[in-house]
Amino acid sequence: LVKQLYVDKQHLHRGTLENILNLVKPILADEPNIVKIPPMQRVTVVGDLHGSLADLSRIFELVGWPGPGNTFVFNGDFVDRGDRGVEIIAALFALKVVHPKNIILNRGNHEDTKICKLYGFFDEIVCKYGCRALYEKVCDVFTYLPLGCVIGNEAFVVHAGVPRTMVNIDQINCIPRRKLKTTVSAAWEESHPPGCNLWAQMPKWLTIAEDLLWSDPVDPSIDQTAKDFEATPNYFRGAGIRYGPGVVREFLKKNKLKTLVRSHQCVGKGWDEIHCGQDVSIWTVFSASNYDGVGNTASVLVFNGDGKGVPRVVTFSAANSVIRCLGFKSRQKLVDLICMNKEALRRELLSVAKKRKDIREGEWSQVLRRVLKLNIDLRHLRGELVGVPSDGSKMVNVESFLERYKMQVILPDGICFSLPEEDALAQYLLPKAHEVASVFYLLDKNLDGKLTLEEANAGLQLAKKKLASSYMWQGNFEMNAHEIFESCFAAGSAFLEVVQFCRGWCQVFLQPDLNYQL
């Protein structure tokens, strides 16, 4: 399956994906929140993959395939940001079905129904299958994923960190993880108002789960203000905590373990170690190379079953990481650039072509590099950007290439709308619409696609409450729902729809001096 998806670049049929989801769900349901891996065996811990199928394939080349004697822990964040998240989960879930004892799939903070809508996985499924129902099925399976695992008597492996309250693994196993479609407390509170049946118990469960999946360690050797037993709110992420070495030592001591292994953060060399004292360490492992164009190396950690709690580090970069070094969250950003610069590209391409209909592949690449200001040879992406000619020609037809690209926005709910190329607002709306739509969906409490004045007010008040002490909410910034409605040119309206919200927001807040009439 991995060969078909990666080497042969085949598209996974929807029916095949649904069959895999149906098969893996009962296997995951039988596992506890913290899976215990027997001692005295080799275990490879894989960090964030974020939709990079090339890195997954490279990992199997380096350390072998899962099976008896070769166990793998995939430590969350399989999807979002990269463009092969569907293929990643299909491969991992299929391997789990074949080798249930030798594949452990920990949940990450991106295996979350709300987070996936904001960072690309929802869009990926809609673009590939045109189906929201399939997205819901995948997110349902995410709630079955364990929250962590223990390797022998050595290491506690979890996506982000340890809880702020001192709990043992048996207590973590009591969390009803199937009820956690999101692990962000603010989002959960929005959909479960006080007084509902789960409210009395869920905040405690949710806080532990949020800490496990969202937190970051502090390193006293770098941050001189860090405290040994620090457990302070993680304002940078808006969820979880920042925890000091002392918190880790106490947690591991309570659970009779030696090492904490986590992922969650991109580190330049693919791994990092923080010494906590008393022979205790925090290991961070990140397995997506050239993540978001930052040029990082990837790594995995290999425990040999010797009981010492010290892993062997294997570093690598994906063979085709040149495609990832564009510096964009996904190749969709390159498409956005082509759309926004379509007329400039047309002029340059026709100037090169003169009276010809076709230009050489190298000439096409040079024009795109010059107009889009990219420092990369785009001939590597010719098949995706232009299409592969049946005769194997190295020529590019100028008009056929330009006709492939339209000013169209696809929002997180699958709604799409087109923008005329002469639309003066298009160049501002196109790259920002997804982010602005994310604000709309966060405020739209009942998810009916219509934002009322009451919903907008409630959402803003919650944001002010949660971010009151954060550096992100400083100064005298004040905005109420009435101002938002007026800004979106709908004063007196009972509600706003997402397209109207996006266009109005971009008009006023992203380019206030733009002289454009809706």
Side-chain angles (χ1 to χ4, degrees):
L1 178 63
V2 174
K3 179 181 181 296
Q4 290 175 332
L5 296 176
Y6 173 58
V7 180
D8 300 335
K9 300 187 184 301
Q10 294 186 17
H11 183 71
L12 190 68
H13 190 275
R14 175 181 170 181
T16 302
L17 178 58
E18 289 183 329
N19 285 339
I20 293 172
L21 295 175
N22 293 334
L23 289 171
V24 78
K25 186 187 292 187
I27 297 173
L28 294 171
D30 284 341
E31 294 182 327
N33 290 342
I34 305 298
V35 178
K36 292 191 176 182
I37 301 172
M40 306 302 292
Q41 62 175 292
R42 191 172 84 158
V43 179
T44 299
V45 181
V46 180
D48 298 32
L49 286 167
H50 282 300
S52 177
L53 192 60
D55 285 300
L56 178 62
S57 178
R58 183 66 176 144
I59 289 166
F60 290 142
E61 288 177 8
L62 291 171
V63 294
W65 289 88
N70 198 24
T71 297
F72 281 78
V73 176
F74 290 89
N75 203 24
D77 280 13
F78 315 131
V79 300
D80 279 342
R81 302 190 187 275
D83 58 359
R84 305 300 296 276
V86 169
E87 290 76 14
I88 289 281
I89 62 167
L92 295 183
F93 288 170
L95 286 167
K96 179 69 177 177
V97 172
V98 176
H99 299 290
K101 299 297 183 183
N102 301 110
I103 288 281
I104 308 300
L105 302 175
N106 289 344
R107 186 173 178 177
N109 65 309
H110 280 263
E111 282 69 57
D112 185 299
T113 183
K114 290 189 177 291
I115 301 303
C116 286
K117 274 197 171 183
L118 303 182
Y119 291 98
F121 185 58
F122 177 89
D123 295 334
E124 182 185 345
I125 289 184
V126 170
C127 289
K128 290 178 178 177
Y129 298 100
C131 178
R132 175 171 180 159
L134 184 58
Y135 172 77
E136 300 296 340
K137 287 183 179 180
V138 174
C139 287
D140 181 60
V141 175
F142 285 164
T143 65
Y144 286 83
L145 293 171
L147 302 178
C149 67
V150 172
I151 300 175
N153 299 315
E154 303 176 56
F156 180 64
V157 185
V158 68
H159 182 68
V162 296
R164 69 191 73 187
T165 55
M166 201 50 57
V167 297
N168 59 38
I169 288 171
D170 289 338
Q171 290 171 305
I172 296 175
N173 276 330
C174 292
I175 296 173
R177 70 177 190 265
R178 283 282 292 115
K179 293 185 172 74
L180 295 175
K181 291 187 178 296
T182 179
T183 57
V184 182
S185 58
W188 193 90
E189 289 173 17
E190 268 290 276
S191 56
H192 296 79
C196 74
N197 293 335
L198 293 175
W199 186 258
Q201 295 181 340
M202 185 55 79
K204 181 180 178 181
W205 298 337
L206 184 59
T207 299
I208 295 173
E210 181 181 281
D211 289 349
L212 293 172
L213 272 57
W214 282 89
S215 301
D216 294 308
V218 294
D219 187 349
S221 67
I222 298 175
D223 184 354
Q224 302 301 320
T225 65
K227 298 178 181 178
D228 196 34
F229 283 89
E230 179 173 339
T232 56
N234 193 340
Y235 291 126
F236 177 76
R237 296 187 185 274
I241 59 171
R242 297 176 76 248
Y243 53 91
V247 179
V248 176
R249 290 197 307 271
E250 288 298 307
F251 177 85
L252 294 177
K253 180 179 178 181
K254 185 179 184 70
N255 291 282
K256 300 179 180 179
L257 296 167
K258 303 171 183 176
T259 303
L260 171 65
V261 177
R262 40 94 62 183
S263 302
H264 196 43
Q265 289 177 297
C266 178
V267 284
K269 57 186 178 181
W271 65 276
D272 189 35
E273 182 184 10
I274 298 175
H275 296 282
C276 301
Q278 301 178 17
D279 295 325
V280 169
S281 288
I282 303 170
W283 288 82
T284 296
V285 58
F286 197 84
S287 302
S289 61
N290 229 334
Y291 173 70
D292 216 13
V294 301
N296 66 287
T297 302
S299 74
V300 296
L301 303 180
V302 181
F303 288 85
N304 292 316
D306 56 11
K308 295 180 180 179
V310 179
R312 174 172 60 93
V313 179
V314 178
T315 60
F316 63 94
S317 289
N320 68 343
S321 61
V322 64
I323 293 177
R324 293 175 60 85
C325 70
L326 290 169
F328 307 125
K329 294 180 180 177
S330 73
R331 275 168 264 182
Q332 181 61 43
K333 193 67 178 245
L334 177 56
V335 174
D336 292 347
L337 274 177
I338 293 173
C339 288
M340 289 187 290
N341 293 276
K342 188 173 177 179
E343 289 309 307
L345 286 170
R346 187 190 302 277
R347 288 193 299 270
E348 288 291 316
L349 289 169
L350 291 177
S351 174
V352 171
K354 295 183 170 47
K355 295 183 179 181
R356 295 177 292 157
K357 292 182 178 180
D358 301 334
I359 62 175
R360 290 189 296 274
E361 189 180 80
E363 294 175 318
W364 165 83
S365 177
Q366 287 295 330
V367 169
L368 263 66
R369 290 181 64 180
R370 184 166 62 253
V371 173
L372 304 182
K373 297 180 174 59
L374 296 174
N375 187 25
I376 185 172
D377 187 348
L378 290 169
R379 286 177 292 184
H380 294 285
L381 295 174
R382 182 254 166 84
E384 297 181 44
L385 298 178
V386 182
V388 180
S390 57
D391 61 0
S393 170
K394 295 292 185 180
M395 304 297 287
V396 174
N397 184 278
V398 173
E399 289 300 328
S400 295
F401 164 64
L402 293 172
E403 273 300 304
R404 291 170 66 97
Y405 298 93
K406 307 288 185 184
M407 288 287 208
Q408 190 176 65
V409 176
I410 300 176
L411 298 175
D413 214 19
I415 298 172
C416 89
F417 60 94
S418 297
L419 299 167
E421 291 170 18
E422 65 274 11
D423 189 334
L425 185 60
Q427 61 179 307
Y428 301 103
L429 177 56
L430 189 64
K432 297 292 184 182
H434 189 281
E435 296 174 24
V436 177
S438 298
V439 176
F440 177 92
Y441 290 113
L442 287 172
L443 295 174
D444 182 17
K445 185 175 178 180
N446 61 3
L447 300 178
D448 64 352
K450 298 177 180 179
L451 182 65
T452 65
L453 189 62
E454 291 75 16
E455 287 175 324
N457 265 325
L460 287 170
Q461 292 304 316
L462 179 65
K464 290 179 182 179
K465 174 184 174 183
K466 292 294 179 182
L467 298 175
S469 56
S470 171
Y471 69 89
M472 294 185 290
W473 199 274
Q474 298 294 327
N476 296 318
F477 177 76
E478 289 291 336
M479 180 182 294
N480 58 45
H482 294 282
E483 290 175 291
I484 291 180
F485 271 61
E486 290 173 4
S487 299
C488 294
F489 312 100
S493 297
F495 59 83
L496 291 175
E497 293 184 345
V498 64
V499 174
Q500 186 181 24
F501 183 87
C502 287
R503 293 180 68 89
W505 186 288
C506 290
Q507 164 85 23
V508 175
F509 299 111
L510 299 183
Q511 184 67 12
D513 297 327
L514 184 64
N515 183 19
Y516 179 83
Q517 297 297 321
L518 288 175

